[in-house]
Amino acid sequence: MNLFLENGYVNVPMINSLPYPFIFCWGGRATGKTYGALWEDVTTYRGKFVHMRRTQTELDLIASSALNPFAKINEDKGTNYNVQPMKNMASVRDGNGDQIGVMLALSTCANVRGWDASNVELISYDEFIPEYHKRSSIKNEHLALLNCYESINRNRELQGKTPVKLRCYANSNDFFNPLFVGLNLITKIEKMQSAGKYTYIDSERGYMLIDLGESPISQKKAKTALYKFAGDGDFANMAIENRFKNDLFPPRPRPIREYKPVVHVGELTIYKHKSANRYYCSDHNSGNPPEYTASDTELKMFRFAYGHLVSAYYRGAIDFERTIQQVLFLRYFALL
């Protein structure tokens, strides 16, 4: 599987051709994710695509001539694609003024009514991981994405048609972003990266994870002025090394046979020691303890029922199998 074109940029046509309905792809800055996705939208999927951004503010910005996302494509290809604003959405048009696709914002997708999406075959979701300095809250963000997908996909599979393809692209800003947390992908990605693998496929759930950590473009950009000036740190880790920003702590693996399960929440199972007043967090799920999903509502219920674990954490009475379990714990309790 060749993730990169001969010129070093992301092989978006190959990614779009893969049979998995849901693909999440992250990589360094300016590696061709947005450019490739937009070009595929208006060529291979002309008249059959939705290009999505996270917030209405982001969508409003690009739905203008000043910030036309097709500007570079128009310059390179001699085309005249543009984006025109509409109520709660935007229209993508070619040089003849014909509508060839639409743009939506995840935050306001639920407000779009009466739109026939039966011809849509591809949703390109760009910048699904927000930058740290402009993170804004979307309640139950992973559910908002699933509901948006449902609004577009509808019952086409019941009619013998293939499901709409959802292709999500982002820079590696925040490992513990709302989609990865809410869709229970954190543990899979952590294990994938720990094993030095760049792809992961779950055929049963129908999704694929793609880490563009070996981008030839990122390797070349590391030698440019900005990245020499920035040096090692969060910016270079995100833009060049494709490493997520997170504050991890030393793990303390423990023999799980000495513990009994207390609660399972999201991708985390919390155990209590059988004889000592200590707890242990692992991704190993055993027994039949109470279960909570990572939705906003169920996490609130979890915090109410198990708030005493926060005190245990601050007094150092909780051990974590790996550092990722500690960050999940903090996220689930809204401490991070």
Side-chain angles (χ1 to χ4, degrees):
M1 184 183 300
N2 192 350
L3 297 178
F4 305 99
L5 300 168
E6 289 185 3
N7 60 12
Y9 288 102
V10 182
N11 192 350
V12 176
M14 184 278 294
I15 293 173
N16 280 345
S17 71
L18 293 169
Y20 313 104
F22 308 98
I23 295 182
F24 296 86
C25 178
W26 61 93
R29 294 284 299 272
T31 52
K33 300 183 298 297
T34 298
Y35 187 104
L38 288 170
W39 182 240
E40 270 281 283
D41 287 348
V42 299
T43 54
T44 305
Y45 292 88
R46 178 187 172 94
K48 302 176 181 179
F49 74 87
V50 170
H51 196 92
M52 191 161 68
R53 297 297 292 267
R54 186 168 176 270
T55 67
Q56 187 65 40
T57 300
E58 293 175 25
L59 181 61
D60 291 341
L61 284 173
I62 63 175
S64 65
S65 57
L67 295 175
N68 181 6
F70 292 98
K72 181 59 177 171
I73 287 177
N74 290 337
E75 177 184 342
D76 292 345
K77 310 291 186 180
T79 52
N80 189 26
Y81 299 114
N82 61 86
V83 184
Q84 298 181 8
M86 300 168 61
K87 185 176 181 181
N88 294 322
M89 59 193 307
S91 172
V92 179
R93 297 183 180 272
D94 63 14
N96 297 320
D98 296 328
Q99 178 169 305
I100 58 173
V102 299
M103 289 192 172
L104 295 175
L106 177 62
S107 63
T108 54
C109 182
N111 298 331
V112 178
R113 294 287 185 269
W115 169 52
D116 180 12
S118 59
N119 65 319
V120 174
E121 296 180 1
L122 173 71
I123 305 171
S124 298
Y125 184 10
D126 195 19
E127 298 188 16
F128 72 91
I129 302 177
E131 296 178 14
Y132 258 78
H133 61 275
K134 63 176 186 180
R135 284 187 296 179
S136 57
S137 175
I138 298 177
K139 187 176 181 180
N140 286 321
E141 190 161 332
H142 67 294
L143 297 181
L145 178 64
L146 297 179
N147 277 311
C148 186
Y149 181 88
E150 166 66 16
S151 297
I152 296 172
N153 192 58
R154 291 296 183 183
N155 292 335
R156 67 187 68 201
E157 292 171 76
L158 304 182
Q159 301 165 0
K161 300 178 182 179
T162 58
V164 172
K165 293 182 177 181
L166 174 65
R167 302 296 185 257
C168 303
Y169 300 94
N171 299 326
S172 46
N173 294 307
D174 181 11
F175 191 8
F176 303 95
N177 63 81
L179 291 191
F180 284 176
V181 171
L183 296 172
N184 292 336
L185 300 177
I186 294 290
T187 302
K188 296 291 189 300
I189 297 171
E190 192 270 344
K191 289 182 177 178
M192 182 178 90
Q193 294 187 330
S194 295
K197 296 182 178 180
Y198 294 95
T199 59
Y200 175 84
I201 295 171
D202 187 326
S203 298
E204 184 175 350
R205 284 182 65 185
Y207 74 86
M208 181 176 183
L209 306 172
I210 299 177
D211 178 349
L212 299 172
E214 289 191 312
S215 167
I217 298 299
S218 290
Q219 294 168 14
K220 292 178 181 178
K221 285 174 67 68
K223 301 175 183 178
T224 60
L226 173 62
Y227 298 98
K228 289 180 180 178
F229 174 71
D232 296 332
D234 290 339
F235 183 71
N237 284 341
M238 174 275 295
I240 298 295
E241 300 297 332
N242 203 29
R243 294 201 300 267
F244 292 100
K245 174 180 171 60
N246 53 71
D247 299 313
L248 303 179
F249 307 93
R252 290 183 177 179
R254 295 289 188 248
I256 207 162
R257 63 181 179 275
E258 297 180 3
Y259 296 78
K260 57 183 179 182
V262 173
V263 61
H264 180 77
V265 53
E267 298 181 63
L268 194 66
T269 301
I270 303 175
Y271 297 81
K272 190 176 189 301
H273 198 275
K274 293 178 181 178
S275 59
N277 190 25
R278 295 194 63 82
Y279 296 88
Y280 182 55
C281 293
S282 169
D283 65 357
H284 176 73
N285 188 13
S286 63
N288 294 291
E291 294 193 16
Y292 298 84
T293 70
S295 71
D296 289 355
T297 300
E298 295 216 1
L299 284 179
K300 288 179 181 177
M301 296 167 61
F302 162 71
R303 293 168 197 152
F304 180 81
Y306 295 92
H308 62 282
L309 293 175
V310 176
S311 297
Y313 172 77
Y314 283 118
R315 68 172 185 268
I318 302 181
D319 297 317
F320 299 88
E321 181 179 14
R322 298 192 310 279
T323 50
I324 193 169
Q325 274 84 45
Q326 183 166 17
V327 180
L328 281 174
F329 178 92
L330 295 174
R331 276 294 172 96
Y332 293 158
F333 274 110
L335 301 174
L336 180 64

